[in-house]
Amino acid sequence: MMEHGDFPTPIIVLDHRDGHLPTTRGVPSAYLLIEGHRRFNMALYLQKKGRLAPTVTVWLMTKALA
């Protein structure tokens, strides 16, 4: 990450902006980090130091239409 400014394997983010999960679970209507917490924290550090690439690769999970 230090050399390339991007994730070696993309983090996984759930698009829950539409609030499709039950509200009883307390899940906010937002983008939610599902996997890659350590890499995300490293990216925050790189961004603070100005070493994060302008764009990074992220796998986005969305709700499939039934």
Side-chain angles (χ1 to χ4, degrees), residues 19-49:
H20 63 271
L21 294 176
T23 57
T24 57
R25 302 210 184 257
V27 179
S29 296
Y31 288 112
L32 305 172
L33 180 60
I34 300 299
E35 191 277 332
H37 294 76
R38 184 172 293 158
R39 283 171 280 147
F40 183 76
N41 284 333
M42 291 171 67
L44 290 176
Y45 171 79
L46 290 175
Q47 191 273 334
K48 183 177 178 180
K49 297 295 182 180

Side-chain angles (χ1 to χ4, degrees), residues 2 4 6 9 13 15 21-22 24 30 32 45 48 50 54 57 59-60 63 65:
M2 292 292 287
H4 300 287
D6 195 1
T9 302
V13 175
D15 183 357
L21 294 176
T24 57
L32 305 172
Y45 171 79
K48 183 177 178 180
T57 306
W59 288 339
L60 183 63
K63 180 182 178 186
L65 299 175

